[in-house]
Amino acid sequence: MKPNIGIPEKDREAINQGLQKLLADTYFLYLKTHNYHWNVTGPLFNTLHLMFMTQYTELWNALDLVAERIRSLGYPAPGTYKAFSSLTSLKEEDGVPKAEEMLKNLVDGHEAVIRTARAILPSADSGGDEVTTDLLTQRLEIHEKTAWMLRSMLE
């Protein structure tokens, strides 16, 4: 049964497509951040290890929010590596980078998620989808702040 929530189907579909990309980007960034938590070394080990744990925990919790919004709009949420790989704008890397490169990669990852989230706003606005707009605003705030903090560690 299709939802009758006051958002036209064409707008729901456009929002869904964007949210699926956001979910995939968030998952890839979560996985990268968790990987870095496990594998960071060097003089900033403790600082980065704890910071990465805070960040991957926040990303993990965000996954559910995005997936449940997709479901609320009447679509199945993607949930496989194959689906996420085809939807994400993030790139995987081979090996374990040095701590400074980890920070740079995470800045790039958060900025990619920001661009993905921002690209959904016109569809949410067009469809009068305040709930998705609110979710996106919250995600943007978190990713922009995190990117700023990561960039600050590189100066």
Side-chain angles (χ1 to χ4, degrees):
M1 185 170 165
K2 291 185 181 183
N4 182 10
I5 57 175
I7 302 171
E9 186 171 354
K10 69 175 183 58
D11 292 318
R12 280 189 305 107
E13 176 59 30
I15 296 163
N16 165 58
Q17 291 298 318
L19 288 175
Q20 286 192 23
K21 291 176 184 177
L22 181 62
L23 184 63
D25 280 359
T26 303
Y27 192 86
F28 263 65
L29 186 56
Y30 156 77
L31 191 58
K32 182 177 292 214
T33 307
H34 211 149
N35 176 31
Y36 290 173
H37 165 78
W38 289 328
N39 292 300
V40 68
T41 59
L44 292 176
F45 168 79
N46 196 50
T47 299
L48 294 179
H49 185 74
L50 294 173
M51 183 179 72
F52 294 160
M53 183 171 67
T54 300
Q55 291 174 3
Y56 78 67
T57 301
E58 194 286 323
L59 290 163
W60 179 257
N61 291 325
L63 290 167
D64 207 45
L65 298 173
V66 177
E68 287 179 356
R69 185 64 197 147
I70 293 168
R71 295 297 296 136
S72 295
L73 291 169
Y75 298 92
T80 65
Y81 288 111
K82 182 178 179 179
F84 288 152
S85 293
S86 71
L87 291 165
T88 190
S89 64
L90 277 69
K91 303 287 185 237
E92 287 189 278
E93 69 247 357
D94 294 324
V96 178
K98 299 284 186 196
E100 186 172 326
E101 192 64 27
M102 288 178 178
L103 292 169
K104 289 177 186 176
N105 291 343
L106 291 176
V107 168
D108 290 344
H110 281 278
E111 289 178 346
V113 175
I114 290 164
R115 291 188 300 274
T116 298
R118 200 172 302 284
I120 305 165
L121 285 169
S123 296
D125 186 49
S126 172
D129 185 355
E130 294 85 0
V131 175
T132 296
T133 299
D134 183 54
L135 173 64
L136 294 172
T137 302
Q138 291 175 44
R139 298 308 312 149
L140 285 166
E141 180 180 10
I142 290 165
H143 289 288
E144 287 180 359
K145 184 175 182 179
T146 303
W148 156 62
M149 290 182 172
L150 290 164
R151 278 192 306 272
S152 293
M153 292 195 71
L154 292 166
E155 293 182 3

